Amino acid sequence: MPAPFDLLPLFGKGILVTLQLAAASAALAFAISFLAGLGRLSKFRALRAATATYVEAFRGSSLLVQMFWFMYAFSILLEVRSMPPFLAGTLAIGLNYGAYGSEIVRSALKAVPRGQTEAGIALNFTPVQRMRLILLPQAFRIMLPSFGNLLIELLKATSLASLITIGDMMYRANVINNTLYRTAEIYVVLLLLYFAIAYPLLLLTRRYERKTTAGRT
């Protein structure tokens, strides 16, 4: 029987789609994480309530259901053409993991000692300057390990996108299996591909974490 690695070329386009989906979703998730995380700490009650509603709604419901909602129900509600699968997957994953990421941002900012804020006030810094120059640089060191884990989880979550017809690695694995019927080999290769993508991300996160920690005074 041929070695499992002869199946790798068949995953080519699926690997590219997975990387594109993960990159687009991660960019959206991290942007939402900071916007919602800062919103949860806002002095405006309406903004805190709106961001809390978003966070609890996306954390408390299924990612797969959210994908189907964006793919089908969203367009029906707006009476427009159905959303492209890649966009639906990106929105669902990005907003879902952005909700989890917002809690990382919120808790990290709250972990910065109160004295740092008081020092910024004593230096006559504006709230924006205090956040940008004092609080966020310190909080980011706290966020980094959790964000690294979140990124790995987001990558693995992209496999659900195959269920809304996005041609990622999982989708390609199912197509190949329906043709070749080499189930064990195909899904072993799939596992190895996810690991091969995730492990360098983990190493980069750890390296950057050590770098930022070493730079502390």
Side-chain angles (χ1 to χ4, degrees):
M1 180 179 291
F5 294 103
D6 72 324
L7 298 167
L8 277 174
L10 302 178
F11 282 89
K13 190 174 181 180
I15 296 171
L16 179 60
V17 172
T18 293
L19 292 174
Q20 291 172 335
L21 180 61
S25 301
L28 177 60
F30 288 129
I32 293 294
S33 294
F34 281 92
L35 290 174
L38 293 172
R40 295 292 299 274
L41 298 174
S42 172
K43 63 181 180 180
F44 300 106
R45 184 175 180 180
L47 182 56
R48 291 199 308 271
T51 51
T53 300
Y54 151 70
V55 169
E56 297 307 322
F58 276 88
R59 290 175 66 196
S61 57
S62 165
L63 173 57
L64 182 57
V65 174
Q66 292 163 19
M67 284 187 183
F68 279 101
W69 191 88
F70 278 111
M71 182 72 178
Y72 302 111
F74 186 74
S75 59
I76 293 173
L77 289 174
L78 296 184
E79 297 182 350
V80 296
R81 294 180 60 186
S82 61
M83 188 177 293
F86 189 90
L87 178 57
T90 298
L91 286 174
I93 297 171
L95 289 170
N96 184 279
Y97 280 86
Y100 286 97
S102 70
E103 290 299 289
I104 295 173
V105 173
R106 184 179 68 89
S107 60
L109 286 170
K110 292 186 71 174
V112 177
R114 174 67 182 172
Q116 299 295 315
T117 300
E118 294 171 352
I121 294 172
L123 293 171
N124 203 31
F125 283 2
T126 65
V128 173
Q129 288 175 321
R130 292 198 299 271
M131 183 63 67
R132 182 171 61 88
L133 300 175
I134 299 176
L135 301 180
L136 276 178
Q138 296 182 65
F140 188 71
R141 299 188 183 104
I142 303 171
M143 299 176 202
L144 196 56
S146 297
F147 267 138
N149 292 332
L150 193 72
L151 183 59
I152 302 301
E153 293 298 319
L154 183 149
L155 170 65
K156 293 186 288 186
T158 60
S159 62
L160 293 174
S162 64
L163 297 174
I164 57 170
T165 70
I166 295 178
D168 67 334
M169 294 192 302
M170 187 68 190
Y171 183 90
R172 290 297 304 161
N174 292 332
V175 170
I176 296 166
N177 187 51
N178 289 336
T179 303
L180 301 181
Y181 301 104
R182 293 166 59 182
T183 304
E185 297 166 89
I186 289 167
Y187 291 105
V188 165
V189 171
L190 182 63
L191 284 171
L192 292 174
L193 284 172
Y194 277 109
F195 178 79
I197 298 171
Y199 192 61
L201 294 175
L202 181 61
L203 293 179
L204 284 173
T205 302
R206 288 177 178 172
R207 180 179 178 182
Y208 193 74
E209 182 184 353
R210 288 195 298 268
K211 183 178 178 181
T212 54
T213 302
R216 298 176 71 176
T217 56

